[in-house]
Amino acid sequence: MITTDRPQWIQQRIVQDEIDRYLPAGGGDFIPDGEIFRLLGETGEPSAARVRELIAKALAVETLTLAELAELMRVRDEGLWDEMRAAAGAVKHKVYDNRIVTFAPLYLGSKCVNDCEYCGLRRSNPAVARRVLAMDAVRAETEALAGRLGHKRLIVVYGEHPESGVDYIAESIREVYSVKVPARRGVGQIRRVNVNAAPMRIDELKILHGCGLGTFQVFQETYDRRAYARVHPAGTIKGDFRWRLTAMHRAQDAGIDDNGIGVLYGLGDWRFELLAQQAHVHEMERFCGIGPHTLSFPRLEPAVNTPFAEAAPGRVSDDDFERIVVLARLAVPYAGLILTARESPAMRRRLLPLGVTQMDAASNVGVGAYADGQEKQQGDRQQFLLGDSRGLDECIREWARAGCITSFCTAGYRCGRTGKCIMDLLRSGAEGKFCKLNAVLTFKEWLDDFATPETQAVGEALLQQELDEVRVRQPGVWPAFSDTFRRIAAGERDLYF
Ligand code: SAM
Ligand code: SF4
């Protein structure tokens, strides 16, 4: 039974026809539990030659089958794992070069009608203060993120609630895009708004598509139906496994072709989750003609008054978490891999060379926390507690020292290089060329507008190497590119290839 003050709103959220049309008649779906359990039951370790064959397939940017991924999961030999780790880094380099894309999460509300047992924002948690930000507060948050910190990309996160329904989401996206703040030399502004929200109907998703939405993320949380039912009470919207499972089909039909999926690690057996997610990837490739733009790896974190999060049944160790990242990198070579500040700085350092492509920084998941200048996390304002609370400047400096250029590029989506187009470019390695140019230009912008002198020194040294590389490797574009770079250095902004 649903016990809430808005039962009618809740009843109307799920449109059964917008689930059924994507699934086989007769009640099945595309997560083949039986096959996955059979693969997990196999014990034979693959030979070194076979592992290298699968690595070669990943390096050719081809998606692995379920059986192939299961074979890699069965590798025990540490020497072969070293080869797989190196290959994960090489795949990332081939597809994405040495770029790391950065962003910040922006939580606009803490009201939610669902009751997910692991989440601090669940409706039955009395320890969280509830609010949904009005547009002037959305503006203030954006000004802090774009003006003080210099972020260019956000993942905006919403609870599922009538006060933060599709009209609110659309209005807030438009508000974020409208903010422009003077910076040291140029202008601070958010150029790409990604959204993490509950699954929506096709008509609603069309509205978001019309607002210039970047990537639309919905995490399945767990693909294990029994674990799913245990933590998402029946009668809540989120309790409907298949409404969530078909979220990306509806997004695609609404015209949104940059979509992100993920697993919340800690709810079920991670091996099952990874194989089931791979089945989801195959289904997206079949239905959409492209797989997911990004894969996310949230690991359960403590949250205020949330005992479940401390004692989750499928808790994933650091070593297994590393295996997950390596296996995902090899299994879906073209996808962006997002590693959030839920993880500690040490863990983020460890995983960076293994194929991660996006990391947030200076993150705060408290509602209204950026504008307040709230340095410390406050449990009663947020969904869970973060592991890495370092600032953007410090992160960028560390990544630059590790040889990674931070990209603030948002050109792809503004030039129509999204969906199948960008996937084909990524697969062929051609997108890397555009992205390298735009990474250099946006990194220069950020250094000039926001970096501390220490980070500027480290960043300029890296930029010099990057410029030399473009001159030698892409002589055809060098004249136009070096001219654009000079214009950016002279103070022009938002120029891209
Ligand atoms: N409310 C929407 C939903 O659930 O789909 C929007 C996203 S929710 C605010 C963002 C994500 O945070 C969830 O999909 C879940 O994976 C993750 N999450 C929830 N509780 C968490 C916790 N205790 N630790 C880490 N991640 C958590
Ligand atoms: Fe609500 Fe999302 Fe938290 Fe579940 S995970 S309680 S849907 S905010």
Side-chain angles (χ1 to χ4, degrees):
M1 265 307 284
I2 293 161
T3 50
T4 169
D5 49 344
R6 313 283 178 126
Q8 211 188 348
W9 186 83
I10 292 175
Q11 306 293 1
Q12 288 166 357
R13 293 300 309 140
I14 296 177
V15 179
Q16 192 60 40
D17 172 58
E18 293 191 10
I19 303 175
D20 294 344
R21 69 177 71 172
Y22 302 117
L23 299 179
D29 60 46
F30 50 84
I31 305 300
D33 293 5
E35 185 187 350
I36 295 174
F37 284 126
R38 186 184 58 72
L39 288 169
L40 289 174
E42 288 184 11
T43 51
E45 232 182 303
S47 67
R50 176 63 178 154
V51 172
R52 288 177 194 137
E53 214 176 291
L54 296 176
I55 285 176
K57 185 171 180 186
L59 280 164
V61 197
E62 285 180 44
T63 311
L64 299 190
T65 65
L66 295 191
E68 289 166 343
L69 174 56
E71 281 184 87
L72 289 183
M73 282 179 178
R74 291 199 295 272
V75 172
R76 301 265 174 282
D77 183 286
E78 255 317 301
L80 285 175
W81 266 103
D82 282 343
E83 288 185 37
M84 285 160 63
R85 284 186 198 96
V91 167
K92 188 254 168 162
H93 206 268
K94 177 166 184 193
V95 179
Y96 289 93
D97 209 322
N98 62 338
R99 286 174 296 119
I100 186 91
V101 163
T102 196
F103 65 96
L106 173 59
Y107 278 65
L108 293 187
S110 49
K111 295 191 179 183
C112 189
V113 296
N114 293 310
D115 212 15
C116 313
E117 223 183 312
Y118 47 81
C119 178
L121 303 186
R122 69 190 183 284
R123 72 173 185 223
S124 63
N125 187 1
V128 163
R130 307 289 173 168
R131 64 196 284 221
V132 172
L133 295 187
M135 286 307 136
D136 56 345
V138 173
R139 171 162 286 271
E141 290 289 275
T142 311
E143 283 170 356
L145 282 157
R148 199 172 70 227
L149 300 170
H151 272 295
K152 305 266 185 272
R153 285 176 177 247
L154 299 182
I155 177 84
V156 189
V157 186
Y158 304 83
E160 186 161 29
H161 194 272
E163 286 177 43
S164 52
V166 68
D167 293 337
Y168 174 86
I169 296 177
E171 196 184 353
S172 56
I173 292 174
R174 283 192 287 266
E175 189 70 30
V176 168
Y177 276 132
S178 75
V179 172
K180 291 194 173 52
V181 193
R184 209 151 56 203
R185 304 199 56 190
V187 168
Q189 68 181 125
I190 298 301
R191 297 178 187 160
R192 180 170 172 125
V193 178
N194 300 329
V195 162
N196 185 316
M200 282 181 234
R201 301 190 309 255
I202 296 169
D203 62 318
E204 296 173 321
L205 289 160
K206 282 184 180 164
I207 294 173
L208 297 191
H209 184 46
C211 299
L213 167 79
T215 306
F216 181 61
Q217 285 185 345
V218 175
F219 305 154
Q220 188 63 27
E221 318 297 13
T222 173
Y223 289 94
D224 174 334
R225 292 161 222 271
R226 276 192 302 182
Y228 192 94
R230 269 196 297 275
V231 292
H232 303 113
T236 60
I237 307 167
K238 196 148 165 183
D240 193 319
F241 182 84
R242 289 183 175 160
W243 176 241
R244 209 164 176 85
L245 198 61
T246 47
M248 294 308 155
H249 294 69
R250 291 189 293 279
Q252 180 70 24
D253 276 348
I256 301 170
D257 55 8
D258 267 11
N259 293 306
I261 60 175
V263 167
L264 177 57
Y265 285 96
L267 301 178
D269 169 25
W270 67 262
R271 289 182 176 82
F272 180 91
E273 303 290 15
L274 210 45
L275 285 167
Q277 179 178 259
Q278 194 70 2
H280 197 171
V281 168
H282 293 157
E283 169 64 9
M284 286 175 72
E285 289 180 349
R286 183 197 69 78
F287 179 78
C288 312
I290 48 164
H293 187 64
T294 54
L295 299 176
S296 291
F297 305 87
R299 214 169 21 158
L300 259 186
E301 295 297 329
V304 69
N305 193 33
T306 305
F308 180 90
E310 321 285 326
R315 238 177 170 15
V316 171
S317 69
D318 287 353
D319 288 348
D320 280 345
F321 196 56
E322 182 189 275
R323 288 189 186 99
I324 290 169
V325 171
V326 170
L327 289 166
R329 176 70 295 154
L330 297 175
V332 197
Y334 56 80
L337 297 191
I338 302 180
L339 185 70
T340 70
R342 288 175 178 86
E343 298 298 328
S344 67
M347 203 59 203
R348 300 225 289 176
R349 258 173 232 130
R350 178 171 166 186
L351 298 177
L352 177 61
L354 303 179
V356 170
T357 62
Q358 297 196 24
M359 286 207 265
D360 54 333
S363 299
N364 201 318
V365 296
V367 178
Y370 292 109
D372 286 3
Q374 178 198 315
E375 297 298 323
K376 280 220 324 259
Q377 301 185 60
Q378 293 179 0
D380 65 344
R381 277 168 67 151
Q382 63 197 51
Q383 190 190 16
F384 54 82
L385 297 172
L386 292 174
D388 187 352
S389 51
R390 293 174 301 162
L392 183 58
D393 189 81
E394 188 181 343
C395 287
I396 287 181
R397 194 180 335 131
E398 179 176 298
W399 300 335
R401 285 195 173 124
C404 292
I405 181 167
T406 303
S407 176
F408 291 92
C409 171
T410 54
Y413 120 88
R414 288 141 103 216
C415 300
R417 292 199 297 272
T418 64
K420 181 150 172 43
C421 169
I422 195 155
M423 285 300 165
D424 291 345
L425 289 167
L426 286 170
R427 280 202 162 106
S428 67
E431 179 63 9
K433 309 277 179 301
F434 281 116
C435 290
K436 170 69 99 183
L437 305 178
N438 291 321
V440 170
L441 297 176
T442 55
F443 191 47
K444 176 66 177 161
E445 281 188 349
W446 189 85
L447 288 176
D448 285 354
D449 284 346
F450 298 101
T452 59
E454 194 185 352
T455 301
Q456 194 140 25
V458 178
E460 289 290 345
L462 179 62
L463 266 184
Q464 203 45 58
Q465 289 172 25
E466 300 290 341
L467 289 169
D468 291 345
E469 195 183 310
V470 175
R471 187 172 46 238
V472 173
R473 297 231 182 119
Q474 299 186 66
V477 295
W478 174 251
F481 175 70
S482 55
D483 181 54
T484 309
F485 186 83
R486 265 193 300 276
R487 287 167 59 194
I488 297 264
E492 277 189 69
R493 290 292 173 263
D494 207 11
L495 306 173
Y496 50 83
F497 281 79

